Amino acid sequence: MSVRILALVGSLRAGSHNRQLAEAAVKHAPEGARIELFDGLADVPFYNEDLDVEGSVPAAAARLREAAASADALLLFSPEYNGTMPAVLKNAIDWLSRPYGAGALVGKPVAVVGTAFGQYGGVWAQDEARKAAGIAGAKVLEDVKLSVPGSVTRFAETHPADDTEVVEQLSAVLAAVQGRAGEAAAA
């Protein structure tokens, strides 16, 4: 059975280290897993119930929901902005949480990882993303974590896909997500 994992990156910056970390996940996906890097979070409007009307949901939000609904699991990559997750990632979680009780995240395995410049690698933001995803109905993998500190210096000349330690840790995360997604699909 092939497992499809949707990757959402909470940074829109072209040179984002979290985007690079997601690219590393795609490159190092374990056999039997396919990681799809979602492009288009910048196009999703801020969540507004007035826009979330059946038959007229904005195209970008509908595409996000479809991608998440068809995935077996999600992997969220979060930098840390002022001690919390970026608005673009929170907005994605908000869109995926609706309709209430039946959103695209309900019951899906979700892991949160990331990198940030600070000494803790963005753990506060990642904890906030786990909390929001859990409230949205996801089956948050609380024991599957990766926070890479010092991103600006660590990845100044090395792509995360070429950092042996990061690849090893990321591979463990990917194997765990793949395993949980397989368990959820078999249940």
Side-chain angles (χ1 to χ4, degrees):
M1 174 185 146
S2 181
V3 171
R4 185 170 165 265
I5 301 167
L6 182 66
L8 302 180
V9 179
S11 174
L12 302 178
R13 188 172 65 84
S16 164
H17 296 122
N18 279 280
R19 171 88 183 186
Q20 291 175 3
L21 190 60
E23 291 167 355
V26 170
K27 180 178 180 179
H28 295 286
E31 187 174 329
R34 184 170 51 104
I35 300 172
E36 176 187 323
L37 185 53
F38 185 84
D39 283 317
L41 286 185
D43 301 325
V44 178
F46 280 111
Y47 185 80
N48 177 338
E49 273 188 85
D50 293 340
L51 299 177
D52 193 6
V53 178
E54 191 172 333
S56 64
V57 171
R63 193 169 72 81
L64 172 63
R65 283 179 172 168
E66 290 166 12
S70 65
D72 297 304
L74 279 82
L75 186 55
L76 310 181
F77 292 82
S78 184
E80 188 168 276
Y81 293 177
N82 298 311
T84 192
M85 76 178 110
V88 70
L89 186 57
K90 174 64 168 71
N91 189 49
I93 293 168
D94 290 345
W95 276 103
L96 295 174
S97 74
R98 305 295 182 150
Y100 180 76
L105 290 179
V106 172
K108 264 195 219 259
V110 172
V112 181
V113 299
T115 185
F117 178 61
Q119 66 181 341
Y120 302 113
V123 295
W124 291 348
Q126 294 162 29
D127 287 344
E128 291 294 321
R130 283 184 198 91
K131 176 183 170 186
I135 291 169
K139 186 174 186 170
V140 176
L141 308 180
E142 294 288 349
D143 59 332
V144 179
K145 298 179 180 181
L146 173 60
S147 301
V148 183
S151 61
V152 172
T153 53
R154 182 167 194 154
F155 303 128
E157 296 181 22
T158 303
H159 191 285
D162 300 322
D163 183 310
T164 305
E165 180 184 11
V166 169
V167 169
E168 183 178 302
Q169 294 171 343
L170 186 58
S171 294
V173 165
L174 297 173
V177 173
Q178 179 185 27
R180 301 283 179 80
E183 291 169 12

